[in-house]
Amino acid sequence: PENLPLDWTLYGVPFDGGVTFRPGARFGPRAIRDASQYVKPYHLEHAVNVCEVLSLADAGDAPVRPYDIRETLDAVTDFALPLGEPARTRLLAVGGDHSIAYANLRATWQRRGSPRGGLALLHFDSHLDTVDAVWGERWGHASPFIRAIEDGLVDPRAMLSVGIKGPLNTGADLDFARTAGVTLLPYEAWREGGAARIADFVARLAGREAYLSFDIDVVDPAFAPGTGTPSVGGLTSAEALAALRACRGATVVGADVVEVLPDRDPSGITALLAAHVIFEILALDAVSRRG
Ligand code: MN
Ligand code: MN
């Protein structure tokens, strides 16, 4: 791939050592690749052929260290940093649990020239993922964005979390996001004109470079059962696509799609949805470039 003018490189991260509940997301990349075979290139709503506008490659899977989150994040970052042409090629990581987002964010931030103040973040999830520590672990799948904010990779005032729902451990779980200035669009708020709210947020970014992180558990487990920490209710598959299409105009410079657990996905619908989510993310960039 280093000889091609690559716009995006996808890579898998078969790691689920960051979870607190049901493991198995390490098998997500393989299932999503299989499901992607029936994703076609022309995007109907954006009226763009993604494969005519973008050159794409799959770099295979990053190395992981199944017994150690920190070593895995370092190994994934080292793998991702030189892929393609670092100043041009954008990275899409396929998880794996959400802890791996930190590594792809760190690599993306560095490849974009380490912008001071950090990247904007469009985050889709049932969960806040800004919990400081769980059972003493600071790098698990509940914490990638508090670490990214602390390390200057993400600007919390340019971070939108869409689809938050379900019970929290404590109301104090919300404190970090509120204090840091993260914009929350919980699922109940999404139901009242959510697509327009996302579009407003994106418009206020005014072209600022953004990372997009999509945790499949933002979708109702009635539509996406194959995930390790399911939270009932939430976006339908159609609403998830609409939420992503509402990001049109965002400058997406990196992304991940995480938390697909194939062993809980008997008909493959969760992996299929994840493959379509990847297509939607790439289509956002394709439609921006075509103008
Ligand atoms: Mn998450
Ligand atoms: Mn989640």
Side-chain angles (χ1 to χ4, degrees):
E2 61 267 22
N3 296 321
L4 295 172
L6 271 181
D7 296 311
W8 285 83
T9 289
L10 174 153
Y11 67 97
V13 188
F15 178 78
D16 56 28
V19 306
T20 49
F21 193 55
R22 181 170 285 116
R26 69 183 63 186
F27 301 111
R30 182 170 297 238
I32 294 167
R33 285 188 179 100
D34 281 350
S36 74
Q37 290 180 74
Y38 190 57
V39 179
K40 292 177 252 186
Y42 187 83
H43 195 291
L44 184 61
E45 284 68 28
H46 292 323
V48 65
N49 186 314
V50 172
C51 293
E52 284 178 0
V53 175
L54 300 177
S55 60
L56 307 169
D58 183 339
D61 285 351
V64 300
R65 307 281 183 270
Y67 291 124
D68 195 297
I69 302 175
R70 286 300 306 280
E71 285 186 13
T72 293
L73 296 177
D74 287 344
V76 172
T77 305
D78 289 345
F79 171 84
L81 275 172
L83 289 176
E85 295 173 76
R88 171 187 176 129
T89 311
R90 302 179 185 191
L91 303 173
L92 196 154
V94 182
D97 75 57
H98 218 155
S99 65
I100 66 98
Y102 178 88
N104 197 51
L105 252 169
R106 188 165 63 177
T108 296
W109 178 78
Q110 285 185 225
R111 288 158 62 101
R112 303 308 298 179
S114 306
R116 293 177 72 179
L119 299 167
L121 178 62
L122 302 168
H123 170 219
F124 299 81
D125 206 325
S126 284
H127 308 99
L128 296 158
D129 290 358
T130 52
V131 177
D132 184 40
V134 177
W135 288 309
E137 176 56 64
R138 300 174 69 248
W139 296 91
H141 75 159
S143 311
F145 302 125
I146 189 170
R147 297 289 92 81
I149 290 166
E150 287 172 346
D151 291 350
L153 312 180
V154 166
D155 177 359
R157 281 169 297 279
M159 174 174 170
L160 173 67
S161 290
V162 177
I164 304 299
K165 61 184 163 76
L168 304 173
N169 290 311
T170 156
D173 285 356
L174 290 161
D175 289 352
F176 176 83
R178 286 185 170 148
T179 304
V182 176
T183 301
L184 301 180
L185 183 60
Y187 181 65
E188 287 304 317
W190 155 269
R191 291 158 64 92
E192 306 297 327
R197 295 189 196 202
I198 293 172
D200 286 348
F201 186 91
V202 167
R204 284 199 299 277
L205 292 178
R208 180 170 176 180
E209 294 195 342
Y211 185 92
L212 196 157
S213 188
F214 195 98
D215 181 333
I216 204 76
D217 72 27
V218 71
V219 177
D220 189 326
F223 296 86
T227 196
T229 39
S231 174
V232 300
L235 300 175
T236 65
S237 298
E239 286 177 319
L241 302 182
L244 288 161
R245 290 168 192 169
C247 296
R248 182 169 174 162
T251 305
V252 180
V253 296
D256 60 67
V257 178
V258 296
E259 299 283 357
V260 171
L261 202 165
D263 288 342
R264 303 290 284 191
D265 192 26
S267 68
I269 56 172
T270 313
L272 180 64
L273 177 60
H276 280 263
V277 166
I278 291 169
F279 176 65
E280 293 291 334
I281 294 168
L282 296 173
L284 288 171
D285 187 39
V287 74
S288 288
R289 290 179 195 235
R290 195 207 48 197

